[in-house]
Amino acid sequence: MNELQNDTFIRALLRQPTEYTPVWMMRQAGRYLPEYRESRKTAGSFLSLCKNPDFATEVTLQPIDRYPLDASILFSDILTVPDAMGLGLYFEEGEGPKFEFPANNEERIAALEVPDMSKLQYVFDAVKQIRMGIAGRVPLIGFTGSPWTLATYMVEGKGGTDFLTIKKLMYSRPELVHRILQINTDTIIAYLNAQIASGAQAIMIFDSWGGALSHNAYIEFSLNYMRKIISGLTLESNGSKIPSIVFTKGGGLWLEQQATLGADALGLDWTIDIGSARRRVGDKVALQGNMDPAVLLSDPNSIEKEVETILSSYGKGTGHVFNLGHGITQWTPPENAAAMINAVHELSKKYHSP
Ligand code: CP3
């Protein structure tokens, strides 16, 4: 495979010296880009973009072709996994993801199984094709949802809920929720290892809804399963280390616990000061984040100020990957994303002097 021309992102995750702070954006291939909207129109729907490796490759490369980003991320969705389990994923225009057959009663939960990975072959094919398309410019990140985050969609049957269906089950029949989480964990280990075997050069776990849990429930129902995943991964491939990132949105209260997961880096949302996060985790992990995506709705001057605030709060030295605190919004003017990326590259050099 192609040798990496820019490995700044990988070095920052491994807390090795870099010349500047690397940057990428969650949801960097998405609706704020006119070329993405065009591809989506041609494909017919979001899911056909995901399920066709040619389209998935095309849209993964769009932000890389447009901006000097330091990493690319596989274009797919976390919900392809429960889809492969037979839950029937569909998207209704403007309403987000839904499942035809949610795992919301004892029979359906008992019937859940680890799916055959051939059902997700289109993802592995996309990873291989994207690696060829990137041609070594930057690393490719593979990803998954966390067991808990996938379970919220599987039980609730849709997004945008208050999680009361799954929480009721968690408090009244915890063994049923543990069964879902164990199946998700076994599936995710196979899924991520197949992404790594296909060419993913770093992996990220999106625990988007871990922050909805109480302290004890977070440890028992989300963190402990992510720990099993990290220890089940092939973390070396072709002689290089595959760094891992864990992102619990709303998880700033539990950084000390997350730092013991065995992951190389933790993602931060915008609610926490990255400097105090750094002092709390010490030299255990790198940090990724954490600008409020809404900053990108402002103007280049305001964006530069926010970038500087985050860089200076993190301070000197390696171990920081700049990112947004959650996905870029569809209302972002593309030139504002360019302003952020350039500001990170320029303003961060002074924090990396030898
Ligand atoms: O970051 C990237 O560019 C890679 C692609 C990616 C997508 N989804 C594409 C997408 C990644 C990493 C995801 C992860 C994902 N998907 C998460 C975890 C991250 C997070 O946002 O918390 C979650 C919770 C999902 C589930 C999901 N997919 C939702 C709730 C939605 C609807 C919300 C929305 O923004 O419309 C999606 C759809 C989705 N996934 C889109 C994209 C580009 C928009 C689809 C479209 O209409 O074109």
Side-chain angles (χ1 to χ4, degrees):
M1 286 242 197
N2 295 300
E3 191 129 337
L4 263 181
Q5 290 148 33
N6 174 358
D7 67 348
T8 315
F9 167 72
I10 302 285
R11 280 186 279 138
L13 290 177
L14 299 177
R15 306 178 60 260
Q16 296 166 2
T18 60
E19 299 72 40
Y20 61 89
T21 303
V23 54
W24 69 281
M25 301 180 290
M26 289 190 266
R27 291 272 172 97
Q28 62 192 19
R31 287 164 294 189
Y32 74 107
L33 290 178
E35 57 270 36
Y36 171 84
R37 296 195 296 268
E38 199 54 42
S39 302
R40 193 176 101 148
K41 212 159 96 191
T42 314
S45 70
F46 166 66
L47 273 183
S48 0
L49 285 179
C50 295
K51 293 193 173 180
N52 176 321
D54 290 335
F55 278 123
T57 302
E58 179 178 307
V59 296
T60 300
L61 295 178
Q62 286 168 350
I64 298 304
D65 290 339
R66 190 190 255 268
Y67 305 117
L69 289 157
D70 295 289
S72 59
I73 180 160
L74 162 70
F75 188 85
S76 189
D77 200 85
I78 62 169
L79 301 177
T80 55
V81 166
D83 188 50
M85 293 176 181
L87 273 63
L89 173 65
Y90 65 102
F91 281 81
E92 256 168 44
E93 196 55 48
E95 281 189 45
K98 290 194 178 162
F99 284 107
E100 253 176 286
F101 313 107
N104 55 6
N105 61 43
E106 194 160 356
E107 292 69 37
R108 287 203 179 149
I109 293 170
L112 284 175
E113 285 178 12
V114 175
D116 194 298
M117 284 299 124
S118 63
K119 295 215 171 80
L120 291 158
Q121 189 59 42
Y122 63 90
V123 176
F124 313 134
D125 290 341
V127 170
K128 288 183 200 146
Q129 229 172 290
I130 294 164
R131 276 293 303 273
M132 287 194 280
I134 300 175
R137 281 177 282 172
V138 288
L140 174 64
I141 307 167
F143 69 87
T144 178
S146 71
W148 165 256
T149 294
L150 294 184
T152 64
Y153 289 97
M154 293 163 71
V155 173
E156 301 280 334
K158 55 181 192 258
T161 68
D162 45 17
F163 308 110
L164 291 181
T165 310
I166 189 167
K167 284 191 175 181
K168 177 180 171 187
L169 198 64
M170 178 181 86
Y171 288 116
S172 54
R173 301 289 307 276
E175 75 285 4
L176 294 181
V177 175
H178 279 302
R179 173 172 161 77
I180 303 174
L181 295 171
Q182 189 57 50
I183 286 175
N184 288 354
T185 299
D186 295 341
T187 306
I188 288 166
I189 292 172
Y191 182 54
L192 287 178
N193 282 336
Q195 289 185 38
I196 292 169
S198 305
Q201 292 153 296
I203 64 97
M204 175 152 166
I205 303 176
F206 286 92
D207 186 28
S208 303
W209 306 126
L213 290 167
S214 71
H215 174 89
N216 288 333
Y218 175 69
I219 307 295
E220 180 180 346
F221 291 88
S222 187
L223 192 82
N224 283 349
Y225 288 95
M226 296 197 284
R227 191 185 308 283
K228 292 191 195 184
I229 293 171
I230 301 288
S231 62
L233 292 182
T234 317
L235 288 169
E236 300 272 339
S237 175
N238 300 324
S240 33
K241 181 153 199 281
I242 307 292
S244 54
I245 309 162
V246 168
F247 172 49
T248 293
K249 184 164 178 286
L253 285 170
W254 307 307
L255 289 181
E256 288 82 359
Q257 290 87 345
Q258 290 165 31
T260 70
L261 278 173
D264 296 285
L266 302 179
L268 304 175
D269 68 27
W270 62 87
T271 58
I272 186 166
D273 169 59
I274 194 167
S276 43
R278 185 183 189 184
R279 288 187 287 280
R280 284 169 55 198
V281 300
D283 56 10
K284 291 197 185 74
V285 285
L287 295 174
Q288 175 174 279
N290 68 338
M291 196 173 88
D292 183 348
V295 173
L296 292 184
L297 303 176
S298 65
D299 56 87
N301 274 339
S302 313
I303 292 167
E304 269 179 39
K305 258 190 238 151
E306 290 291 329
V307 166
E308 178 59 34
T309 302
I310 291 168
L311 290 173
S312 68
S313 173
Y314 186 84
K316 275 192 189 291
T318 189
H320 181 204
V321 171
F322 200 98
N323 205 318
L324 301 171
H326 202 204
I328 187 169
T329 87
Q330 61 173 308
W331 316 112
T332 303
E335 60 277 16
N336 283 359
M340 179 192 85
I341 295 160
N342 291 333
V344 173
H345 284 160
E346 286 310 311
L347 299 173
S348 67
K349 286 178 188 151
K350 60 181 179 290
Y351 297 104
H352 295 271
S353 49

